[in-house]
Amino acid sequence: MPQPARKIRLDFSSLLGPLFFTWVVQLLFPVILQYLVYEKQKKLKIMMKMHGLKDGPYWMISYAYFFFLSSAYMLFFVIFGSIIGLKFFTLNDYGIQFVFYFLYINLQIALAFFMSTSFYDVKTATVVGYIYVFGSGLLGEFLLRYFVEDTSFPSGWIVVMELVPGFSLFRGLYEFGQYSFTGNYMGTSGMQWRDLSDGPNGMKDVLIIITVEWLILLPVAYYLDQVSSSGGRIRKNPLFFLQCFQKKRRSQSFRTPSLHPDTSKVSVEMERPDVAQERGVVEQLLLEPNNSHAIICDNLKKIYPGRDGNPEKFAVRGLSLALPRGECFGMLGPNGAGKTSFINMMIGLITPTSGNAYVQQLDIQSDMNEIYTSMGVCPQHDLLWETLTGREHLLFYGRLKNLKGAALIQAVEESLKSVNLFYGGVGDKRAGQYSGGMKRRLSVAISLIGDPKVVYMDEPSTGLDPASRKNLWNVVKQAKRDRAIILTTHSMEEAEVLCDRLGIFVDGNLQCIGNPKELKARYGGTYVLTMTTSSDEEEEVERLVRRLAPSANRIYHISGTQKFELPKQEVRISDVFNAVERAKSEFPIYAWGLVDTTLEDVFIKVAKGAAGSSDLLS
Ligand SMILES: Nc1ncnc2c1ncn2[C@@H]1O[C@H](COP(=O)(O)OP(=O)(O)OP(=O)(O)O)[C@@H](O)[C@H]1O
């Protein structure tokens, strides 16, 4: 009997859905991966950590953010598909769709965290992320689908394939597509809860696999993140989780003198009295701790292992230093002296090879998380988000330091004003648009926000114009009143203006320590007389100088210009002036000058002396 004509109902979403939707759902994966690796590559993660953000909250905040983003994306995906009437969405039970997408986005976030532990470069991570998205979709369509539809293929192998998250997503979407296609064709509904027990329906297996994988992958990713050193911070012991069960022990004194025998191969050198005295202060403070000192370094050493046939490098050779509150300590030293290595140990970026340090009586090797809550860092290279404004940076770091509400707003405004980023709306521009100097000033402001008790500044004024540098000095001078600051610099002027005490480092050794005046008196002890005459009068000038100071030392002479060091105990400034005035009537003097020893002279003297016969400063 002839049948009445029937309209063929073909729903393309059900046919093409699995491949197309696998790509659409996974598109957020490379975005999340890129975000995570970006924070690691730019060292923003460690910067946040150094300002008090612990690993747990960092993971929770990041996870919650990605979950919110993914949920909004998936909600839009399902609602939009339903509104335009795609049977793929409208015929299948919304409850199953909700559970499936909910579980999958969680697995996807966990997978991104997991994969981010093995990348340190954003570009590589992004490329791998997109290859994974498109590859898993295509392989799902042309391989997994083929096996699923081949009834002779062992189902156990299909489950194994579905362990790849992209395949489990494909399989789930494939099942939705099958049910909606049949439902549409037959005029019935798509997948319902009761259908999960259907033999060929792989959705139940997929839901179990996704749940189990999510619950395993997330803690594994956290573990790998803790034990890997990528991101530039110290890697934890593989058994770090066992430490939670160990009771923290705090003794009355930090240590007894014999607990840390010096076993390194560094040869014993005669220590200068000032350095030996500082070591004595440290010994005393370790035995009888008190609150007066914010930082105590106890024979801190850093040796980098030899690589590519190069010998090991002694970057810091047993530094003992005690820093009271309210002091700004300046570290001077030629390039490669070990200043940054010392700061990196103090801020938890690298582990000391031996020795230890205590910040606010907390151990840098075991209590770094607590130390971070009262520490500020201005690193050698600016660690900023290109897309955040200066104000947003300060708001963020201020919140990390527990500032809230009006106090936070006020601190941020004051901070922006203090580093000259307030007026003209500069603070509301993105950091990516800042000049080098503006970035540097923002880094200094970040290091000081939230009243940290200990601040490390690694060459804070690098790249600043003279006016900005003076302004920055005022900021640091204000800041040092109630906190300890360690500052490295190559500017002697800066060191002299800002630092209460200075230490000159050469080749990992502290060569001298004291306030700038003391150092000049101790290592200078001379006036420098410069005089320019004609070349014929050079001997005459030398005779004049020898009459003034018999043990004067000629340090420089070229075509009539000569420079002499005159020991302070042998001359009086007035005698020099009188002698030069008399000499002017005997032979022409084109120019002359008498200056006290500068810090620069001290620096060069100490560094040259320490370098000895090596060619460090030749
Ligand atoms: N990761 C590393 N591996 C091996 N050697 C290193 C490493 N980092 C630094 N060094 C070496 O340790 C020494 C001290 O370096 P460091 O960066 O601490 O010096 P610095 O005083 O801060 O120098 P600058 O003034 O140029 O910043 C240098 O000889 C350097 O080459």
Side-chain angles (χ1 to χ4, degrees), residues 36 45 53-68 106 109 113 218 222 225:
L36 288 170
K45 194 172 163 188
L53 184 62
K54 296 201 172 87
D55 281 329
Y58 172 79
W59 274 63
M60 277 198 286
I61 293 165
S62 307
Y63 196 96
Y65 172 68
F66 296 135
F67 180 74
F68 173 77
N106 278 296
I109 297 168
F113 272 104
L218 199 56
Y222 184 79
D225 181 61

PDB file of all heavy atoms in Angstrom, residues 36 45 53-68 106 109 113 218 222 225:
ATOM      1  N   LEU A  36      48.871  30.032  31.758  1.00  0.00           N
ATOM      2  CA  LEU A  36      49.669  29.454  32.854  1.00  0.00           C
ATOM      3  C   LEU A  36      51.164  29.539  32.556  1.00  0.00           C
ATOM      4  O   LEU A  36      51.974  29.878  33.419  1.00  0.00           O
ATOM      5  CB  LEU A  36      49.274  27.994  33.081  1.00  0.00           C
ATOM      6  CG  LEU A  36      47.903  27.771  33.723  1.00  0.00           C
ATOM      7  CD1 LEU A  36      47.518  26.295  33.680  1.00  0.00           C
ATOM      8  CD2 LEU A  36      47.895  28.268  35.157  1.00  0.00           C
ATOM      9  N   LYS A  45      54.703  34.366  38.376  1.00  0.00           N
ATOM     10  CA  LYS A  45      54.228  33.445  39.406  1.00  0.00           C
ATOM     11  C   LYS A  45      55.123  33.549  40.647  1.00  0.00           C
ATOM     12  O   LYS A  45      54.636  33.684  41.767  1.00  0.00           O
ATOM     13  CB  LYS A  45      54.254  32.024  38.824  1.00  0.00           C
ATOM     14  CG  LYS A  45      53.502  31.040  39.637  1.00  0.00           C
ATOM     15  CD  LYS A  45      53.427  29.738  38.879  1.00  0.00           C
ATOM     16  CE  LYS A  45      53.058  28.623  39.804  1.00  0.00           C
ATOM     17  NZ  LYS A  45      53.148  27.330  39.156  1.00  0.00           N
ATOM     18  N   LEU A  53      51.764  35.483  47.956  1.00  0.00           N
ATOM     19  CA  LEU A  53      50.715  34.580  47.470  1.00  0.00           C
ATOM     20  C   LEU A  53      51.213  33.141  47.572  1.00  0.00           C
ATOM     21  O   LEU A  53      52.171  32.755  46.898  1.00  0.00           O
ATOM     22  CB  LEU A  53      50.351  34.920  46.015  1.00  0.00           C
ATOM     23  CG  LEU A  53      49.201  34.123  45.426  1.00  0.00           C
ATOM     24  CD1 LEU A  53      47.906  34.373  46.193  1.00  0.00           C
ATOM     25  CD2 LEU A  53      48.989  34.444  43.966  1.00  0.00           C
ATOM     26  N   LYS A  54      50.539  32.343  48.396  1.00  0.00           N
ATOM     27  CA  LYS A  54      50.988  30.962  48.578  1.00  0.00           C
ATOM     28  C   LYS A  54      50.507  30.091  47.414  1.00  0.00           C
ATOM     29  O   LYS A  54      49.608  30.481  46.665  1.00  0.00           O
ATOM     30  CB  LYS A  54      50.442  30.421  49.894  1.00  0.00           C
ATOM     31  CG  LYS A  54      50.981  31.172  51.102  1.00  0.00           C
ATOM     32  CD  LYS A  54      50.835  30.318  52.349  1.00  0.00           C
ATOM     33  CE  LYS A  54      51.542  30.959  53.516  1.00  0.00           C
ATOM     34  NZ  LYS A  54      50.765  31.904  54.271  1.00  0.00           N
ATOM     35  N   ASP A  55      51.110  28.902  47.279  1.00  0.00           N
ATOM     36  CA  ASP A  55      50.763  28.027  46.157  1.00  0.00           C
ATOM     37  C   ASP A  55      49.297  27.625  46.163  1.00  0.00           C
ATOM     38  O   ASP A  55      48.634  27.624  45.128  1.00  0.00           O
ATOM     39  CB  ASP A  55      51.635  26.767  46.195  1.00  0.00           C
ATOM     40  CG  ASP A  55      53.010  27.054  45.642  1.00  0.00           C
ATOM     41  OD1 ASP A  55      53.110  27.911  44.752  1.00  0.00           O
ATOM     42  OD2 ASP A  55      53.977  26.450  46.115  1.00  0.00           O
ATOM     43  N   GLY A  56      48.787  27.264  47.364  1.00  0.00           N
ATOM     44  CA  GLY A  56      47.391  26.810  47.465  1.00  0.00           C
ATOM     45  C   GLY A  56      46.427  27.865  46.931  1.00  0.00           C
ATOM     46  O   GLY A  56      45.668  27.598  45.975  1.00  0.00           O
ATOM     47  N   PRO A  57      46.452  29.093  47.486  1.00  0.00           N
ATOM     48  CA  PRO A  57      45.549  30.132  46.974  1.00  0.00           C
ATOM     49  C   PRO A  57      45.777  30.435  45.491  1.00  0.00           C
ATOM     50  O   PRO A  57      44.832  30.664  44.754  1.00  0.00           O
ATOM     51  CB  PRO A  57      45.892  31.351  47.842  1.00  0.00           C
ATOM     52  CG  PRO A  57      46.421  30.778  49.105  1.00  0.00           C
ATOM     53  CD  PRO A  57      47.119  29.509  48.722  1.00  0.00           C
ATOM     54  N   TYR A  58      47.057  30.398  45.035  1.00  0.00           N
ATOM     55  CA  TYR A  58      47.316  30.668  43.615  1.00  0.00           C
ATOM     56  C   TYR A  58      46.575  29.652  42.755  1.00  0.00           C
ATOM     57  O   TYR A  58      45.921  30.008  41.773  1.00  0.00           O
ATOM     58  CB  TYR A  58      48.821  30.602  43.321  1.00  0.00           C
ATOM     59  CG  TYR A  58      49.139  30.678  41.845  1.00  0.00           C
ATOM     60  CD1 TYR A  58      49.142  31.896  41.181  1.00  0.00           C
ATOM     61  CD2 TYR A  58      49.387  29.520  41.100  1.00  0.00           C
ATOM     62  CE1 TYR A  58      49.397  31.977  39.819  1.00  0.00           C
ATOM     63  CE2 TYR A  58      49.643  29.587  39.738  1.00  0.00           C
ATOM     64  CZ  TYR A  58      49.655  30.816  39.104  1.00  0.00           C
ATOM     65  OH  TYR A  58      49.892  30.888  37.748  1.00  0.00           O
ATOM     66  N   TRP A  59      46.684  28.387  43.137  1.00  0.00           N
ATOM     67  CA  TRP A  59      46.002  27.336  42.367  1.00  0.00           C
ATOM     68  C   TRP A  59      44.491  27.496  42.441  1.00  0.00           C
ATOM     69  O   TRP A  59      43.798  27.353  41.441  1.00  0.00           O
ATOM     70  CB  TRP A  59      46.442  25.953  42.876  1.00  0.00           C
ATOM     71  CG  TRP A  59      47.705  25.492  42.209  1.00  0.00           C
ATOM     72  CD1 TRP A  59      48.916  26.085  42.280  1.00  0.00           C
ATOM     73  CD2 TRP A  59      47.853  24.381  41.338  1.00  0.00           C
ATOM     74  NE1 TRP A  59      49.830  25.404  41.522  1.00  0.00           N
ATOM     75  CE2 TRP A  59      49.203  24.345  40.931  1.00  0.00           C
ATOM     76  CE3 TRP A  59      46.988  23.391  40.872  1.00  0.00           C
ATOM     77  CZ2 TRP A  59      49.705  23.368  40.073  1.00  0.00           C
ATOM     78  CZ3 TRP A  59      47.490  22.411  40.016  1.00  0.00           C
ATOM     79  CH2 TRP A  59      48.833  22.415  39.624  1.00  0.00           C
ATOM     80  N   MET A  60      44.003  27.800  43.635  1.00  0.00           N
ATOM     81  CA  MET A  60      42.546  27.908  43.776  1.00  0.00           C
ATOM     82  C   MET A  60      41.997  29.083  42.970  1.00  0.00           C
ATOM     83  O   MET A  60      41.009  28.955  42.263  1.00  0.00           O
ATOM     84  CB  MET A  60      42.182  28.067  45.257  1.00  0.00           C
ATOM     85  CG  MET A  60      42.126  26.727  45.955  1.00  0.00           C
ATOM     86  SD  MET A  60      41.258  26.786  47.471  1.00  0.00           S
ATOM     87  CE  MET A  60      42.368  27.616  48.540  1.00  0.00           C
ATOM     88  N   ILE A  61      42.712  30.224  43.060  1.00  0.00           N
ATOM     89  CA  ILE A  61      42.238  31.418  42.331  1.00  0.00           C
ATOM     90  C   ILE A  61      42.300  31.154  40.827  1.00  0.00           C
ATOM     91  O   ILE A  61      41.355  31.416  40.092  1.00  0.00           O
ATOM     92  CB  ILE A  61      43.100  32.654  42.699  1.00  0.00           C
ATOM     93  CG1 ILE A  61      42.872  33.025  44.160  1.00  0.00           C
ATOM     94  CG2 ILE A  61      42.758  33.841  41.812  1.00  0.00           C
ATOM     95  CD1 ILE A  61      43.907  33.975  44.719  1.00  0.00           C
ATOM     96  N   SER A  62      43.428  30.598  40.367  1.00  0.00           N
ATOM     97  CA  SER A  62      43.563  30.339  38.929  1.00  0.00           C
ATOM     98  C   SER A  62      42.515  29.326  38.481  1.00  0.00           C
ATOM     99  O   SER A  62      41.859  29.504  37.449  1.00  0.00           O
ATOM    100  CB  SER A  62      44.950  29.790  38.594  1.00  0.00           C
ATOM    101  OG  SER A  62      45.934  30.621  39.097  1.00  0.00           O
ATOM    102  N   TYR A  63      42.339  28.278  39.282  1.00  0.00           N
ATOM    103  CA  TYR A  63      41.379  27.232  38.910  1.00  0.00           C
ATOM    104  C   TYR A  63      39.970  27.819  38.824  1.00  0.00           C
ATOM    105  O   TYR A  63      39.235  27.591  37.867  1.00  0.00           O
ATOM    106  CB  TYR A  63      41.431  26.092  39.934  1.00  0.00           C
ATOM    107  CG  TYR A  63      40.771  24.830  39.429  1.00  0.00           C
ATOM    108  CD1 TYR A  63      41.522  23.817  38.850  1.00  0.00           C
ATOM    109  CD2 TYR A  63      39.389  24.656  39.506  1.00  0.00           C
ATOM    110  CE1 TYR A  63      40.931  22.676  38.355  1.00  0.00           C
ATOM    111  CE2 TYR A  63      38.776  23.513  39.013  1.00  0.00           C
ATOM    112  CZ  TYR A  63      39.558  22.529  38.439  1.00  0.00           C
ATOM    113  OH  TYR A  63      38.964  21.395  37.943  1.00  0.00           O
ATOM    114  N   ALA A  64      39.624  28.603  39.852  1.00  0.00           N
ATOM    115  CA  ALA A  64      38.272  29.193  39.892  1.00  0.00           C
ATOM    116  C   ALA A  64      38.074  30.105  38.681  1.00  0.00           C
ATOM    117  O   ALA A  64      37.011  30.103  38.053  1.00  0.00           O
ATOM    118  CB  ALA A  64      38.091  29.975  41.185  1.00  0.00           C
ATOM    119  N   TYR A  65      39.122  30.867  38.327  1.00  0.00           N
ATOM    120  CA  TYR A  65      39.008  31.784  37.187  1.00  0.00           C
ATOM    121  C   TYR A  65      38.780  30.999  35.887  1.00  0.00           C
ATOM    122  O   TYR A  65      37.885  31.322  35.103  1.00  0.00           O
ATOM    123  CB  TYR A  65      40.290  32.620  37.096  1.00  0.00           C
ATOM    124  CG  TYR A  65      40.381  33.462  35.853  1.00  0.00           C
ATOM    125  CD1 TYR A  65      39.515  34.534  35.654  1.00  0.00           C
ATOM    126  CD2 TYR A  65      41.324  33.177  34.858  1.00  0.00           C
ATOM    127  CE1 TYR A  65      39.585  35.307  34.506  1.00  0.00           C
ATOM    128  CE2 TYR A  65      41.391  33.943  33.705  1.00  0.00           C
ATOM    129  CZ  TYR A  65      40.530  34.999  33.535  1.00  0.00           C
ATOM    130  OH  TYR A  65      40.595  35.746  32.387  1.00  0.00           O
ATOM    131  N   PHE A  66      39.577  29.939  35.687  1.00  0.00           N
ATOM    132  CA  PHE A  66      39.426  29.150  34.449  1.00  0.00           C
ATOM    133  C   PHE A  66      38.095  28.413  34.445  1.00  0.00           C
ATOM    134  O   PHE A  66      37.484  28.234  33.393  1.00  0.00           O
ATOM    135  CB  PHE A  66      40.575  28.146  34.303  1.00  0.00           C
ATOM    136  CG  PHE A  66      41.918  28.797  34.147  1.00  0.00           C
ATOM    137  CD1 PHE A  66      43.023  28.350  34.847  1.00  0.00           C
ATOM    138  CD2 PHE A  66      42.082  29.879  33.291  1.00  0.00           C
ATOM    139  CE1 PHE A  66      44.257  28.954  34.713  1.00  0.00           C
ATOM    140  CE2 PHE A  66      43.309  30.496  33.140  1.00  0.00           C
ATOM    141  CZ  PHE A  66      44.392  30.033  33.861  1.00  0.00           C
ATOM    142  N   PHE A  67      37.648  27.991  35.620  1.00  0.00           N
ATOM    143  CA  PHE A  67      36.373  27.273  35.694  1.00  0.00           C
ATOM    144  C   PHE A  67      35.237  28.224  35.337  1.00  0.00           C
ATOM    145  O   PHE A  67      34.331  27.872  34.577  1.00  0.00           O
ATOM    146  CB  PHE A  67      36.163  26.690  37.095  1.00  0.00           C
ATOM    147  CG  PHE A  67      34.879  25.953  37.228  1.00  0.00           C
ATOM    148  CD1 PHE A  67      34.724  24.699  36.638  1.00  0.00           C
ATOM    149  CD2 PHE A  67      33.796  26.502  37.888  1.00  0.00           C
ATOM    150  CE1 PHE A  67      33.526  24.016  36.712  1.00  0.00           C
ATOM    151  CE2 PHE A  67      32.593  25.828  37.970  1.00  0.00           C
ATOM    152  CZ  PHE A  67      32.466  24.579  37.382  1.00  0.00           C
ATOM    153  N   PHE A  68      35.322  29.446  35.862  1.00  0.00           N
ATOM    154  CA  PHE A  68      34.287  30.438  35.567  1.00  0.00           C
ATOM    155  C   PHE A  68      34.266  30.728  34.062  1.00  0.00           C
ATOM    156  O   PHE A  68      33.221  30.743  33.426  1.00  0.00           O
ATOM    157  CB  PHE A  68      34.562  31.710  36.380  1.00  0.00           C
ATOM    158  CG  PHE A  68      33.663  32.845  36.038  1.00  0.00           C
ATOM    159  CD1 PHE A  68      32.347  32.877  36.505  1.00  0.00           C
ATOM    160  CD2 PHE A  68      34.111  33.889  35.226  1.00  0.00           C
ATOM    161  CE1 PHE A  68      31.503  33.923  36.170  1.00  0.00           C
ATOM    162  CE2 PHE A  68      33.274  34.933  34.881  1.00  0.00           C
ATOM    163  CZ  PHE A  68      31.962  34.956  35.357  1.00  0.00           C
ATOM    164  N   ASN A 106      36.399  20.585  33.818  1.00  0.00           N
ATOM    165  CA  ASN A 106      37.300  20.386  34.957  1.00  0.00           C
ATOM    166  C   ASN A 106      38.530  19.585  34.546  1.00  0.00           C
ATOM    167  O   ASN A 106      39.657  19.909  34.920  1.00  0.00           O
ATOM    168  CB  ASN A 106      36.565  19.682  36.096  1.00  0.00           C
ATOM    169  CG  ASN A 106      35.767  20.674  36.916  1.00  0.00           C
ATOM    170  OD1 ASN A 106      36.335  21.560  37.544  1.00  0.00           O
ATOM    171  ND2 ASN A 106      34.452  20.556  36.878  1.00  0.00           N
ATOM    172  N   ILE A 109      40.859  21.782  32.489  1.00  0.00           N
ATOM    173  CA  ILE A 109      41.663  22.722  33.295  1.00  0.00           C
ATOM    174  C   ILE A 109      42.802  21.957  33.973  1.00  0.00           C
ATOM    175  O   ILE A 109      43.954  22.403  33.986  1.00  0.00           O
ATOM    176  CB  ILE A 109      40.781  23.440  34.351  1.00  0.00           C
ATOM    177  CG1 ILE A 109      39.713  24.272  33.649  1.00  0.00           C
ATOM    178  CG2 ILE A 109      41.632  24.334  35.238  1.00  0.00           C
ATOM    179  CD1 ILE A 109      38.622  24.786  34.573  1.00  0.00           C
ATOM    180  N   PHE A 113      46.883  22.538  33.596  1.00  0.00           N
ATOM    181  CA  PHE A 113      47.828  22.679  34.714  1.00  0.00           C
ATOM    182  C   PHE A 113      48.926  21.628  34.592  1.00  0.00           C
ATOM    183  O   PHE A 113      50.110  21.911  34.778  1.00  0.00           O
ATOM    184  CB  PHE A 113      47.107  22.507  36.056  1.00  0.00           C
ATOM    185  CG  PHE A 113      46.530  23.786  36.601  1.00  0.00           C
ATOM    186  CD1 PHE A 113      45.183  24.049  36.534  1.00  0.00           C
ATOM    187  CD2 PHE A 113      47.350  24.733  37.192  1.00  0.00           C
ATOM    188  CE1 PHE A 113      44.654  25.225  37.043  1.00  0.00           C
ATOM    189  CE2 PHE A 113      46.841  25.916  37.705  1.00  0.00           C
ATOM    190  CZ  PHE A 113      45.483  26.159  37.628  1.00  0.00           C
ATOM    191  N   LEU A 218      44.771  16.398  38.648  1.00  0.00           N
ATOM    192  CA  LEU A 218      44.929  17.665  39.371  1.00  0.00           C
ATOM    193  C   LEU A 218      45.995  17.573  40.469  1.00  0.00           C
ATOM    194  O   LEU A 218      46.932  18.382  40.481  1.00  0.00           O
ATOM    195  CB  LEU A 218      43.580  18.118  39.937  1.00  0.00           C
ATOM    196  CG  LEU A 218      43.487  19.591  40.301  1.00  0.00           C
ATOM    197  CD1 LEU A 218      43.816  20.487  39.119  1.00  0.00           C
ATOM    198  CD2 LEU A 218      42.100  19.917  40.833  1.00  0.00           C
ATOM    199  N   TYR A 222      49.774  19.376  40.552  1.00  0.00           N
ATOM    200  CA  TYR A 222      50.230  20.179  41.700  1.00  0.00           C
ATOM    201  C   TYR A 222      51.583  19.661  42.197  1.00  0.00           C
ATOM    202  O   TYR A 222      52.503  20.424  42.445  1.00  0.00           O
ATOM    203  CB  TYR A 222      49.191  20.127  42.821  1.00  0.00           C
ATOM    204  CG  TYR A 222      49.541  21.014  43.997  1.00  0.00           C
ATOM    205  CD1 TYR A 222      49.322  22.389  43.948  1.00  0.00           C
ATOM    206  CD2 TYR A 222      50.099  20.481  45.158  1.00  0.00           C
ATOM    207  CE1 TYR A 222      49.652  23.212  45.018  1.00  0.00           C
ATOM    208  CE2 TYR A 222      50.436  21.300  46.230  1.00  0.00           C
ATOM    209  CZ  TYR A 222      50.201  22.658  46.150  1.00  0.00           C
ATOM    210  OH  TYR A 222      50.544  23.460  47.209  1.00  0.00           O
ATOM    211  N   ASP A 225      54.323  20.490  39.779  1.00  0.00           N
ATOM    212  CA  ASP A 225      54.628  21.913  39.853  1.00  0.00           C
ATOM    213  C   ASP A 225      55.536  22.214  41.045  1.00  0.00           C
ATOM    214  O   ASP A 225      56.438  23.036  40.959  1.00  0.00           O
ATOM    215  CB  ASP A 225      53.305  22.684  40.001  1.00  0.00           C
ATOM    216  CG  ASP A 225      53.530  24.180  40.050  1.00  0.00           C
ATOM    217  OD1 ASP A 225      54.062  24.706  39.070  1.00  0.00           O
ATOM    218  OD2 ASP A 225      53.192  24.806  41.070  1.00  0.00           O
TER     219      ASP A 225
END
